[in-house]
Amino acid sequence: MKAHTKETQATMTPKKALQFLQEGNERFQKNLKANRNLLQQVNETKDGQFPFATILSCIDSRVSAELVFDQGLGDIFSVRIAGNFVNDDILGSMEFACKLAGTKLLVVLGHTSCGAVKGACDHARLGNLTTLINKIEPAVEAVSEPKDESLRNSKNLDFVDAVAVKNVELTLDNIRQQSPILKEMEEKGEIAIVGAMYDLSDGKVSFL
């Protein structure tokens, strides 16, 4: 499989880009890989890059977007931060990726048993991590069940995962609210903005 070119990127649509990622994750779950020569892709991309998707994911060492979607060099822009939320710098990176570099799909990828989400559920406080946790805590407050405070912590993995899903949803809302550029592109059908969850137990990505 060769690296994407300006021509192949031009034929990509948001729907087709999503299909590419879904097919890649199916290969990953089956322990299959597309036949690609990474060194050849190094050569093919030395003069430019034409990715088809931009993926915002957590820094978790088990959730590499390139691996879980079975993609090669030059295929996706990968933005990573603990808790997969957005700030001005990340939004700027996304605007570059979609508006200037031509990606057709923007994915916010959360995952089960997320450590950053667990920290938010426990309202952890530690140096600069405190500021990061504060960005995720609105998702904790937005999940109404369970009401019993003794169950609203990192020991309750169902609660943790519910907060992780809500965090993805709130991040999607923030992208649309805080980036008129990306919102307009979505409204025009130039890109799609979608959320997804990766299951650490089986490698499956479920799109929301």
Side-chain angles (χ1 to χ4, degrees), residues 144-157:
S144 59
E145 296 293 338
K147 299 191 184 305
D148 185 345
E149 286 297 327
S150 68
L151 298 175
R152 296 175 64 84
N153 55 59
S154 63
K155 294 179 181 178
N156 183 349
L157 293 183

Side-chain angles (χ1 to χ4, degrees), residues 187-208:
E187 290 173 346
K188 289 182 176 179
E190 296 170 352
I191 63 170
I193 304 174
V194 301
M197 283 290 293
Y198 175 77
D199 194 326
L200 291 177
S201 68
D202 59 13
K204 180 178 176 60
V205 174
S206 300
F207 286 88
L208 306 180

Side-chain angles (χ1 to χ4, degrees), residues 82-86 108 110-111 114 116-123 131-146 152-153 158-174 197 208:
N84 43 267
F85 62 87
V86 290
V108 177
H111 68 93
C114 178
V117 170
K118 287 180 180 179
C121 291
D122 291 340
H123 303 288
T131 303
L132 185 148
I133 293 296
N134 287 340
K135 303 284 180 61
I136 306 172
E137 285 182 342
V140 179
E141 303 306 319
V143 175
S144 59
E145 296 293 338
R152 296 175 64 84
N153 55 59
D158 288 338
F159 177 63
V160 170
D161 291 348
V163 172
V165 171
K166 179 56 68 173
N167 184 51
V168 168
E169 294 172 347
L170 292 180
T171 299
L172 294 172
D173 291 342
N174 288 335
M197 283 290 293
L208 306 180

